[in-house]
Amino acid sequence: MNRWVRLVLLALILLVLGLTARGWLPPLLAFLDANTDRLQGLEALAQLGLLALSGLVAFFGWRAWRDRRSDAAPITANAQNRGQAIAQGDGAGKVAVTGGVGGNVTNVTVAVLDPAQLERLLGRLLPTRAPADLREQTQAYLEHVVASYRYLDFRGMGMGDRVALRLPLLEMYVPLKARVERPQGETWARDLRLAGRRPTAEEAEAMGERLSEPTPVLDLLQRHDGLVVLGDPGAGKTTFLKYVALHLALGREADLGLSPRLPVLAPLSAYANALAVRDTPLDRFIADYYRERGIDLPLADMLAQALAAGRAMLLLDGLDEVKDLGRRRDVVDRVADFFTVQRQRGNKFILTSRIVGYNQVRRPIEGLTECTLVDFDDADIALFIEKWTLAIERAVQGAEQVAALSAERERTELLAAVQRNPGVRRLAANPLLLTVLALMKRQGVRLPERRVELYEQYVDILVQHWNLARGLGRAPAYSPDVKQVRKVLAPLALWMHETSPGIGLVKEPAMRRKLAEIYAAAQVDDPERASDRFLADVRDHANLLVERGSRQYGFIHLTFQEYLAAVALAQQGQQSVEPVTAALAAHVGDDNWREVSLLTVGYLGVVQDRPEAASAVLSALVAKRPGPPGAAVVLAGQALLDVGDVGVTPACRAEVIKALQAAMTDRNLPAGQRLAAGLALADLNVLPADLDELVAAPDWGFAI
């Protein structure tokens, strides 16, 4: 029961008691043996007090009713400062601005919409003579959208903090960029990276032969009636839909360059399930979907009014999550037909999908433009880190000046961690993985020297938790066990890296055979059936190993294949490190195996806490010097930096440093290896005993 209703009921009870006091108060006072001379005075005083108290409670009930209506109104802002200002509720139906990104306090007051503002907003969304109840229900729906998407959702990322993380989406959002197809006559030399690798021929075909330069997705939305936004898992597709929906619900459509529209967000996988039961038009499905989720609002009437007026924005998420190809094609046909009719009235559509999942059912439609999201570049990463650190310090510390100082320190450290290591930088290009990285940094994970710990936590999160937070509130019925999944994924990743180094894509039949082999070695009953179940579980629930085209699979990012391959190699050294040393020695000098080699040593020394084993591997590489001249020593030096002081013994550290110093001054080695040895020593904070003498030495082959 609402607070204002309880107060009104209490006021009525007090009023009745006050009006009837002459009837029940004298017997009560007599029962208490009160003095009869004072009875009449007490009776009048009590009656007056009850009536006054009734009026006071009624007044507070009216205030509570008024505040509830004010709190429910959408929120708007009229100023920005290097992005959106962060808004925090003060508990009285108002919103206080605590500053803009970058530490400057925004000189604006952000308040709830007053009745005139609300009237103008609803007047643009609904006909002039719309029923009063429909206007109230539309307002309630917009309030639901704001409540649902106003804050970023960190559930399922395995992280906590001293306070609950409530970071405003509008404050934190970094605009996405995408490439669109161009006409046949235009050319562009592509140099795309997808999930840390070059795109396959099938992915290239899905994206189109010729693509434009990166363009802000919001610019594309302004220019086109419909967008198909394609991207890898974690690229930010669903967050983009929430960002658009939130702006429209708040009445801030001008910030997006759009006109007022009713945002309606729904998952296409649920639409496919509805079509499997009966023939259901898209608009009817949307109304049913919200009603089934407990949102008791006449969305069918609202949507019908908005569509008729050309004021709807349909945000349709996750086409690739429709697993059955026939149903996926049916969904595309239904959405395409609906779009063709509704765009003529001025309505807009956004549909999201993974790249190849869309290519299989692609249907050219006039007015519907396809675009492919690109990775974050350095500027995007820096902007995210700036917004993230300031917002989280405000959430934790509150005080603006203290938060700004702490945020600047955190920003510098996190940005340096990303920039100093190419492996971490590759992960940071994905918005989801960058968010997880920032959360881990917040929890004290050291970056980037001990990346193996970072990747260990990444795998745990992506296998066990991520699916709980992704999408539009759809949770899986099954959560795979992390340890069991890793036992299978590690040897599978090693096989994939041996089969497809640098690309990491394998065909499903070969993968099924390898899975059956892994299960047979583990003495599992019916390995073929176990393989089918595992592949379905990982594909449908974990989203660490994903389908990338027609019966072709790969990891969400090549880094995770490299890490899990390293786990498999390290596990081969339980009894003796000789198999590990032999495996790494066979690939010294191969760029596709460099990360695997470094992570193998890191896993031995840090995760397994076996510094003696990691030291034995490095000592063997330094002693045997496999591969191109100097390459093994440089690899050992880079591994030493990667594991830190705790991952190897002091004797091993001294041995590797001595070998690096010798390599740096060895004129028989190629100049590039000598330079790499010197840089490794610099990263290890080891300076030569006589730097002037080394600089003056002839025949360096490179300039210092």
Side-chain angles (χ1 to χ4, degrees):
M1 184 182 296
N2 292 324
R3 179 169 173 264
W4 71 271
V5 175
R6 293 196 299 268
L7 290 172
V8 169
L9 289 177
L10 178 60
L12 291 175
I13 293 172
L14 292 172
L15 178 62
V16 171
L17 289 175
L19 294 176
T20 60
R22 294 182 181 275
W24 59 267
L25 189 58
L28 177 62
L29 294 176
F31 177 76
L32 296 176
D33 294 327
N35 190 315
T36 56
D37 293 337
R38 300 176 182 175
L39 182 61
Q40 186 174 0
L42 288 173
E43 174 189 325
L45 181 62
Q47 185 175 27
L48 180 62
L50 287 170
L51 292 175
L53 184 60
S54 171
L56 183 63
V57 172
F59 170 76
F60 282 111
W62 172 78
R63 285 284 301 273
W65 172 80
R66 187 193 64 179
D67 290 346
R68 179 178 179 272
R69 288 181 59 86
S70 298
D71 287 342
I75 302 164
T76 187
N78 54 18
Q80 295 177 324
N81 181 25
R82 293 190 63 193
Q84 285 73 23
I86 182 171
Q88 299 174 334
D90 64 1
K94 297 182 181 296
V95 174
V97 171
T98 59
V101 174
N104 299 322
V105 179
T106 316
N107 188 25
V108 295
T109 299
V110 180
V112 298
L113 285 174
D114 59 27
Q117 290 175 310
L118 179 61
E119 187 70 19
R120 285 194 295 271
L121 176 62
L122 294 178
R124 299 292 300 275
L125 294 177
L126 298 172
T128 304
R129 298 184 179 181
D133 58 345
L134 181 60
R135 298 173 72 84
E136 292 178 0
Q137 290 157 351
T138 302
Q139 178 186 348
Y141 169 73
L142 296 176
E143 294 163 4
H144 161 74
V145 173
V146 172
S148 298
Y149 306 136
R150 184 176 174 188
Y151 294 101
L152 289 174
D153 188 358
F154 297 107
R155 292 175 302 166
M157 290 188 179
M159 292 289 138
D161 208 305
R162 289 168 289 173
V163 297
L165 292 182
R166 290 173 61 83
L167 305 184
L169 172 58
L170 299 187
E171 159 92 8
M172 294 297 303
Y173 190 76
V174 175
L176 298 176
K177 301 183 186 71
R179 303 184 189 272
V180 299
E181 286 191 288
R182 284 191 165 186
Q184 186 70 20
E186 299 185 42
T187 61
W188 171 67
R190 284 189 299 165
D191 188 23
L192 285 179
R193 302 290 293 181
L194 291 175
R197 56 180 175 75
R198 292 295 300 273
T200 64
E202 187 173 5
E203 288 172 323
E205 180 184 354
M207 292 182 290
E209 289 299 322
R210 293 169 175 81
L211 300 178
S212 71
E213 289 299 318
T215 303
V217 181
L218 287 174
D219 291 354
L220 299 176
L221 182 60
Q222 294 169 12
R223 298 198 298 261
H224 302 282
D225 295 333
L227 280 183
V228 177
V229 180
L230 307 173
D232 267 357
K237 302 184 295 294
T238 300
T239 302
F240 172 68
L241 297 186
K242 294 178 180 179
Y243 178 77
V244 172
L246 185 58
H247 266 89
L248 296 177
L250 289 170
R252 298 178 58 174
E253 66 283 341
D255 293 348
L256 306 181
L258 301 174
S259 58
R261 295 182 180 276
L262 182 75
V264 181
L265 208 160
L268 288 173
S269 58
Y271 187 35
N273 294 337
L275 289 175
V277 177
R278 62 181 182 277
D279 187 3
T280 306
L282 181 60
D283 51 349
R284 184 185 303 172
F285 152 73
I286 291 173
D288 293 342
Y289 171 75
Y290 275 83
R291 184 174 61 253
E292 291 169 0
R293 295 179 64 204
I295 301 171
D296 189 17
L297 293 170
L299 193 59
D301 294 340
M302 297 180 214
L303 183 56
Q305 293 279 7
L307 288 170
R311 293 293 185 186
M313 173 71 79
L314 295 187
L315 307 166
L316 308 175
D317 192 37
L319 176 64
D320 58 281
E321 294 180 20
V322 182
K323 300 304 179 184
D324 182 79
L325 182 59
R327 289 187 183 178
R328 197 186 316 161
R329 185 173 289 111
D330 190 20
V331 167
V332 169
D333 290 341
R334 298 302 185 93
V335 172
D337 293 342
F338 194 80
F339 168 77
T340 300
V341 174
Q342 296 299 334
R343 70 176 288 254
Q344 297 176 5
R345 300 175 177 175
N347 299 294
K348 282 182 173 287
F349 287 62
I350 306 176
L351 182 150
T352 71
S353 176
R354 285 194 292 120
I355 298 169
V356 182
Y358 176 73
N359 185 50
Q360 295 170 303
V361 295
R362 183 185 185 198
R363 175 179 163 183
I365 305 166
E366 183 179 357
L368 194 64
T369 298
E370 300 160 4
C371 64
T372 302
L373 296 176
V374 299
D375 287 346
F376 273 178
D377 59 22
D378 290 339
D380 296 328
I381 294 173
L383 179 60
F384 172 90
I385 291 175
E386 181 182 2
K387 290 187 173 187
W388 167 271
T389 52
L390 185 58
I392 202 169
E393 290 302 327
R394 282 178 179 147
V396 172
Q397 303 194 41
E400 178 66 27
Q401 292 183 345
V402 175
L405 291 174
S406 299
E408 178 59 24
R409 181 175 60 253
E410 286 290 313
R411 184 194 69 82
T412 302
E413 292 178 0
L414 182 54
L415 189 59
V418 171
Q419 292 175 338
R420 285 173 54 190
N421 192 285
V424 176
R425 169 61 181 82
R426 287 193 295 269
L427 288 182
N430 179 285
L432 169 72
L433 300 182
L434 178 56
T435 302
V436 176
L437 180 71
L439 282 166
M440 290 182 182
K441 172 67 169 60
R442 183 71 193 171
Q443 300 304 309
V445 175
R446 185 181 177 186
L447 301 174
E449 287 80 2
R450 296 169 64 172
R451 292 175 301 122
V452 67
E453 291 181 317
L454 170 67
Y455 300 160
E456 178 84 355
Q457 294 194 42
Y458 260 126
V459 170
D460 287 354
I461 290 170
L462 293 178
V463 172
Q464 185 176 14
H465 298 291
W466 177 37
N467 203 61
L468 300 177
R470 67 189 299 271
L472 304 176
R474 307 178 297 282
Y478 170 76
S479 180
D481 179 78
V482 175
K483 293 182 179 179
Q484 294 300 322
V485 169
R486 189 186 286 111
K487 286 181 179 179
V488 179
L489 281 179
L492 182 66
L494 179 57
W495 168 77
M496 291 173 65
H497 204 74
E498 294 169 340
T499 304
S500 180
I503 296 186
L505 294 177
V506 294
K507 294 292 185 180
E508 182 178 318
M511 175 173 284
R512 288 187 183 278
R513 290 193 296 270
K514 183 60 181 179
L515 285 170
E517 177 185 324
I518 294 171
Y519 278 115
Q523 299 181 343
V524 173
D525 295 337
D526 198 348
E528 287 76 14
R529 182 179 179 183
S531 301
D532 292 343
R533 173 64 186 270
F534 178 85
L535 191 58
D537 284 345
V538 173
R539 180 188 61 212
D540 295 341
H541 300 298
N543 285 291
L544 179 60
L545 185 67
V546 297
E547 186 177 7
R548 295 190 180 280
S550 179
R551 306 186 71 187
Q552 186 170 245
Y553 292 84
F555 285 89
I556 182 179
H557 198 283
L558 186 62
T559 293
F560 298 119
Q561 175 180 297
E562 294 169 332
Y563 165 72
L564 288 166
V567 172
L569 285 177
Q571 290 173 347
Q572 295 178 7
Q574 296 297 325
Q575 303 299 323
S576 170
V577 297
E578 290 184 4
V580 180
T581 302
L584 299 189
H587 299 291
V588 171
D590 186 344
D591 289 341
N592 289 324
W593 283 83
R594 177 182 173 277
E595 277 292 291
V596 175
S597 300
L598 296 178
L599 293 171
T600 300
V601 177
Y603 194 84
L604 286 169
V606 177
V607 177
Q608 291 188 339
D609 194 19
R610 299 171 60 200
E612 293 80 7
S615 298
V617 172
L618 293 184
S619 295
L621 291 176
V622 169
K624 297 178 181 179
R625 311 274 174 116
V633 173
V634 171
L635 179 66
Q638 293 168 340
L640 192 64
L641 177 66
D642 222 31
V643 299
D645 295 336
V646 300
V648 295
T649 64
C652 175
R653 176 181 173 84
E655 179 184 4
V656 173
I657 289 175
K658 183 178 179 180
L660 287 170
Q661 290 172 331
M664 186 178 66
T665 58
D666 187 350
R667 297 183 178 89
N668 295 319
L669 292 181
Q673 294 293 359
R674 297 165 67 188
L675 175 60
L679 293 175
L681 285 170
D683 289 336
L684 291 167
N685 295 319
V686 176
L687 295 177
D690 192 342
L691 184 61
D692 292 337
E693 179 180 340
L694 288 174
V695 172
D699 300 327
W700 272 93
F702 58 87
I704 297 181

